C-alpha cells in the first residue's frame, strides 16, 4: 500500500469519525437523520473529493498535461446535491416547520466531508468541534433565553351554540396569551363554526393551563393547540 493510498484511507477515516460524531448528537435527540445518515453523507463527500483530487490517475502519460483539474467543481456539485437530502428531513405540520436544524447539520456535515477529502485535517477538527458546540451548547443557551411561544389554536363549536368571540378572547388573555390574528370558518357541511388563531405566550405551562380551561367549556366540540417550532 503506497503513501497516496494510505493518505486517502486516512481522509476517509477522519470523515467517518467526524460525520459519526455529529450524527450521534442528532440521534440522541431523536432526529430523523441521525448517526448513519450523517456518517454516510460525510464519507460520501470525502470520497467524491478524493475522486477530484486524484483526477490525474484517470489519465495515462502526457494526456494529463492537457487536462485542467478543478476540484472546486466537485465541491459545488456535492453541496448542490446535498440540498435534496436536506429538504427530505424538513416537515411542515400546520404552522410548524420541523427539521431545519437537522437539514443544516447535514449540509455542514457534507462540508466537513469535503475538507476531509481534501486533507485539511486541522480544519476538520475545528469545524467538527464548532458544529457539536452549536448543536448542543447553543441548544442550552436557546432554552435559557427569554422567547415567545407561538401556537396555532383552533376551536370548534356547533353553529347554534357558538361562544361569543369576546368571551373566548378574555379566557385566552387571562391565561397569559396574546392573540396575533383570528379567522373564522364554517365546516362539517355547515354543522360547525370554527375560530382559528395564532396565540403567543412566554411561559410553556400556560399551554397546559389553557387546555384545562377549554376542556371545561360545555359548548366546545373540540379544540387544538399546536405549538410551532423547529
Amino acid at each position: 500500500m503506497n503513501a497516496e493510498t494510505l493518505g486517502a484511507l486516512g481522509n476517509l477515516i477522519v470523515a467517518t469519525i467526524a460525520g459519526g460524531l455529529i450524527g450521534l448528537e442528532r440521534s440522541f435527540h431523536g432526529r430523523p437523520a441521525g448517526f448513519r445518515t450523517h456518517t454516510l453523507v460525510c464519507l460520501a463527500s470525502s470520497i467524491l473529493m478524493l475522486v477530484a483530487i486524484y483526477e490525474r490517475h484517470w489519465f495515462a502519460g502526457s494526456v494529463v498535461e492537457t487536462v485542467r483539474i478543478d476540484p472546486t467543481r466537485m465541491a459545488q456539485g456535492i453541496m448542490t446535491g446535498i440540498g435534496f437530502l436536506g429538504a427530505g428531513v424538513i416537515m411542515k405540520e400546520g404552522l410548524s416547520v420541523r427539521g431545519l436544524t437537522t437539514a443544516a447539520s447535514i449540509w455542514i456535515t457534507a462540508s466537513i466531508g469535503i475538507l476531509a477529502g481534501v486533507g485539511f485535517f486541522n480544519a476538520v477538527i475545528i469545524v467538527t468541534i464548532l458544529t457539536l458546540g452549536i448543536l448542543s451548547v447553543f441548544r442550552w443557551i436557546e432554552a435559557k433565553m427569554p422567547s415567545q411561544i407561538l401556537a396555532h389554536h383552533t376551536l370548534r363549536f356547533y353553529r347554534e351554540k357558538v361562544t361569543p368571540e369576546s368571551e373566548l378572547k378574555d379566557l385566552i388573555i387571562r391565561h397569559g396569551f396574546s392573540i396575533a390574528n383570528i379567522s373564522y370558518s364554517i365546516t362539517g357541511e355547515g354543522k360547525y363554526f370554527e375560530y382559528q388563531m395564532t396565540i403567543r405566550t412566554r411561559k410553556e405551562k400556560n399551554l397546559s393551563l389553557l387546555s384545562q380551561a377549554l376542556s371545561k367549556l360545555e359548548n366546545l366540540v373540540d379544540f387544538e393547540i399546536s405549538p410551532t417550532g423547529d
Side-chain angles (χ1 to χ4, degrees), residues 115-130:
L115 291 174
V118 174
F120 294 163
F121 298 131
N122 290 336
V124 169
I125 295 171
I126 293 170
V127 176
T128 300
I129 293 172
L130 288 174

Side-chain angles (χ1 to χ4, degrees), residues 150 178-182 197-200:
L150 273 71
S178 61
I179 301 173
N181 54 60
I182 186 168
M197 63 189 76
T198 301
I199 55 178
R200 297 178 293 195

